[in-house]
Amino acid sequence: MEISDDPAAMATVAPLAPVTAQRPVRSDLELSISKPYMARAMAAPDMEHPDGTKEHSACGMSVLQQHVAFFDQDNNGIVYPWETYTGLRAIGFNVLVSLVLGLGFNLIFSYLSLPGYIPNLLLPIHIANIHKGKHPSDSGTYDTEGRYLPVNFENIFSKYGKTSPDKLTLRELWNMTQGNHVAFDIVGWILNKFEWGLVYIIAKDEGGYLSKEAMRGLFDGSLFEKLAKTKAAKEKKKT
């Protein structure tokens, strides 16, 4: 197989497309991540964690399934609205917000994930089919089967992390959701902004930044576990 030695063939910036310079992509990922372009079915690696979250990658679920599994309180592969509510309360949302979001998320994703075509009034989300709920205008970190693409995750920060290489401000998160907007996709655009806004509220640090590790943890669900442990520890101290 012939390998190109033409610099233009490997260029990541096109002079006549200023946006390619404004949103650069990383070219050093293989220094830490093996085959960063290859979608990972069960691991969510980044430059600092080339093997992802090890206890998650051994669970047998796709990374997108891992993202949802925290809310499956009885581990039966189905998430009902009351389980979503319980999970949201566990990570720090108040009663009202958890009620609204618990119902809202299940209303949106239940029918999409059902194994058949007949709606279920209990609004279950079937984790096995959660890939069917992937919407446009997102970061592209999940592929359409729920696998995780390290290159797309890292490019979030190379493109939009102007303040720091490993965390984003609220403004930078907004710019990311704007940059990922697919034309005419109003629903996906709104969902993307709403989802990242919630993550920012619950996981931002004391300086008002959303860290790279928090965002990686969002994708494989480990963020939810950390938030729940932190909240439980704080409540234990109060008693």
Side-chain angles (χ1 to χ4, degrees):
M1 182 184 294
E2 184 178 350
I3 299 176
S4 173
D5 58 1
D6 181 2
M10 294 294 289
T12 61
V13 173
L16 298 182
V19 70
T20 60
Q22 296 164 6
R23 302 176 190 167
V25 296
R26 294 189 66 161
S27 59
D28 62 344
L29 298 183
E30 289 187 285
L31 294 177
S32 178
I33 307 171
S34 176
K35 298 182 181 179
Y37 50 83
M38 186 176 74
R40 268 44 171 204
M42 297 183 290
D46 64 6
M47 290 291 281
E48 293 73 34
H49 307 85
D51 295 320
T53 307
K54 292 186 178 180
E55 57 269 27
H56 276 236
S57 58
C59 71
M61 290 187 289
S62 74
V63 179
L64 181 54
Q65 289 174 331
Q66 293 170 32
H67 168 74
V68 179
F70 171 81
F71 298 94
D72 181 13
Q73 301 294 311
D74 55 8
N75 296 311
N76 68 347
I78 301 174
V79 181
Y80 290 97
W82 52 89
E83 292 181 292
T84 308
Y85 167 84
T86 301
L88 290 167
R89 290 286 292 138
I91 63 177
F93 287 106
N94 64 36
V95 172
L96 179 59
V97 171
S98 297
L99 280 171
V100 173
L101 294 180
L103 181 60
F105 282 134
N106 284 69
L107 274 171
I108 294 169
F109 294 109
S110 176
Y111 187 75
L112 297 172
S113 71
L114 291 177
Y117 297 99
I118 300 174
N120 188 325
L121 295 180
L122 294 179
L123 302 178
I125 295 174
H126 289 256
I127 294 178
N129 299 322
I130 193 60
H131 62 282
K132 295 180 180 180
K134 185 181 184 299
H135 58 77
S137 298
D138 63 3
S139 67
T141 301
Y142 297 125
D143 70 5
T144 51
E145 293 72 42
R147 290 178 290 247
Y148 171 98
L149 285 156
V151 61
N152 287 353
F153 177 73
E154 289 290 349
N155 283 341
I156 291 174
F157 300 91
S158 65
K159 288 182 179 183
Y160 302 104
K162 307 303 182 183
T163 306
S164 170
D166 60 358
K167 53 189 176 183
L168 298 181
T169 65
L170 183 59
R171 170 60 64 180
E172 289 165 347
L173 277 174
W174 177 272
N175 292 340
M176 179 187 74
T177 59
Q178 290 290 94
N180 291 333
H181 182 204
V182 176
F184 308 114
D185 175 37
I186 300 299
V187 174
W189 180 69
I190 292 172
L191 275 176
N192 197 30
K193 288 187 178 297
F194 182 69
E195 290 163 351
W196 283 112
L198 289 175
V199 174
Y200 178 81
I201 290 170
I202 204 69
K204 68 180 185 296
D205 63 21
E206 294 179 355
Y209 295 96
L210 188 60
S211 73
K212 183 179 182 181
E213 178 58 8
M215 293 174 70
R216 189 187 71 84
L218 169 71
F219 283 103
D220 73 358
S222 59
L223 171 65
F224 302 136
E225 296 169 2
K226 291 177 182 176
L227 290 173
K229 288 178 181 176
T230 300
K231 186 189 177 193
K234 288 180 179 178
E235 291 178 347
K236 188 175 181 180
K237 284 183 179 179
K238 292 179 181 178
T239 58

